[in-house]
Amino acid sequence: MSALSKTLDLDLREARWNEFVATVRPRLTPETRLAEREVLAPKTTMRVGGPARVYAEPATTEELRQLLVEANHRGLPVFLLGRGSNLIIPDEGVDGLVICLAHESWQKFEVRTGGQVWAGAGLRLKNLCGLATKAGLKGFEFLEGIPGSVGGALRMNAGAMGGWMFDVVEEVHLLSLAGELRVMNKSEMHVDYRHCAELHDAIALGALLKPAAIAESGDIRRQIDVYQKKRVESQPREPSAGCIFKNPPGASAGRLIDELGLKGTRVGDAEVSPVHANFIVNRGHATSADIIRLIRQIRARVKSARGIDLEPEVLLYGQEWRDVL
Ligand code: EPU
């Protein structure tokens, strides 16, 4: 592509974004936040990355729909941001509409008559656990230490302590990028280790969850404390994106990386955690370029020493890992 056509392309793209903002802004209530070039790093647990071209915190499903439909109509990419705990934002930012369900309307926790729990996509897993404990509902304890939201946990089928998000799901309410609302039973969904196919091109609005049993709050709390102790002992405190790689079949990525002596390896301020080798921690001023270089080094070592291709678990916002690694 010549320099001139590249500039024209960028101008066209910019015109589309301006048109998008000019079209949607008058349709949004003051409750909805819409911002241009919003810095994303502070909204993530890794604390790296550039701005979102457009950022929105819709207050209602209808406003969310407006944003999706108008972006989709103009061929502008849309990304969901939960608690930002499982992703790396590129240093150059994201040329997309980044939507975050941070408004309180997405944080509902309601115990239904059948004993199920409605959890909004924006509800933090920690709060879900706390509220369920208070209500004497057992089965959500494993989620307590995951620094994510219900929506993100559904998207990734997040897991810890031997449990997976979809273990406790009955149905998911989702909105397609074309703005269509769907209610899906868990049995209709294609869910796997750290993966939910239906949420690749749709947004979870919330889910109906099924507690395992009714129990004394004190008993539930004790189980949470056991998990918390295990986590504090085995996972780092510094900013990170959780585990970087998926565990390969029958093995532990953390143990593999550890056995190769890579703990403490650094690129800039990105470091393989000395506590858990499947975590990369930000020692202060890491960039996403540092993290990507470190990921490449780890993969190369594991490949040459063990013949295993480690696959990232974290998302690289707006890009595909296969294009970068
Ligand atoms: N190990 C090492 N060295 C290390 C790290 C781990 O030898 O540096 C060993 C441990 O001693 C243990 C085994 O490897 O024997 C497995 O380690 P761990 O129990 O920490 O579990 P993991 O498979 O590394 C998974 C999830 C975590 C989740 C924990 C606890 C993945 C990729 N990771 O870690 O999830 O918190 O179990 O249940 O599935 C995440 O998804 O971001 C995440 C942190």
Side-chain angles (χ1 to χ4, degrees), residues 269-283:
D269 266 356
E271 181 188 69
V272 177
S273 165
V275 179
H276 192 302
N278 198 10
F279 282 64
I280 290 180
V281 292
N282 181 352
R283 284 284 182 194

Side-chain angles (χ1 to χ4, degrees), residues 29-48:
T29 64
E31 287 274 285
T32 285
R33 233 193 113 215
L34 188 74
E36 296 191 62
R37 300 185 177 85
E38 176 97 352
V39 179
L40 295 177
K43 300 183 195 300
T44 72
T45 55
M46 190 55 123
R47 308 206 164 272
V48 303

Side-chain angles (χ1 to χ4, degrees), residues 39-119:
V39 179
L40 295 177
K43 300 183 195 300
T44 72
T45 55
M46 190 55 123
R47 308 206 164 272
V48 303
R53 177 61 186 82
V54 178
Y55 173 81
E57 291 178 3
T60 62
T61 307
E62 189 42 44
E63 287 166 281
L64 171 60
R65 193 199 310 273
Q66 289 284 341
L67 290 160
L68 290 178
V69 169
E70 290 302 330
N72 211 28
H73 174 63
R74 290 175 176 77
L76 297 169
V78 176
F79 302 94
L80 249 284
L81 181 71
R83 281 269 282 124
S85 60
N86 201 49
L87 50 86
I88 293 167
I89 311 267
D91 297 321
E92 62 273 26
V94 185
D95 186 38
L97 165 64
V98 172
I99 294 178
C100 183
L101 302 182
H103 190 275
E104 62 180 26
S105 64
W106 305 104
Q107 292 172 31
K108 290 201 178 98
F109 171 94
E110 287 166 8
V111 181
R112 298 278 162 91
T113 40
Q116 300 113 319
V117 167
W118 170 261

Side-chain angles (χ1 to χ4, degrees), residues 244-303:
I244 288 286
F245 300 103
K246 292 181 184 175
N247 282 336
S252 154
R255 184 182 292 145
L256 272 173
I257 301 166
D258 189 1
E259 283 169 358
L260 294 173
L262 294 176
K263 277 183 171 172
T265 308
R266 274 177 93 136
V267 173
D269 266 356
E271 181 188 69
V272 177
S273 165
V275 179
H276 192 302
N278 198 10
F279 282 64
I280 290 180
V281 292
N282 181 352
R283 284 284 182 194
H285 298 97
T287 62
S288 79
D290 295 336
I291 295 164
I292 292 167
R293 286 215 337 258
L294 190 52
I295 288 176
R296 277 200 206 110
Q297 284 183 19
I298 299 167
R299 288 185 86 235
R301 273 300 298 282
V302 172
K303 178 71 177 171

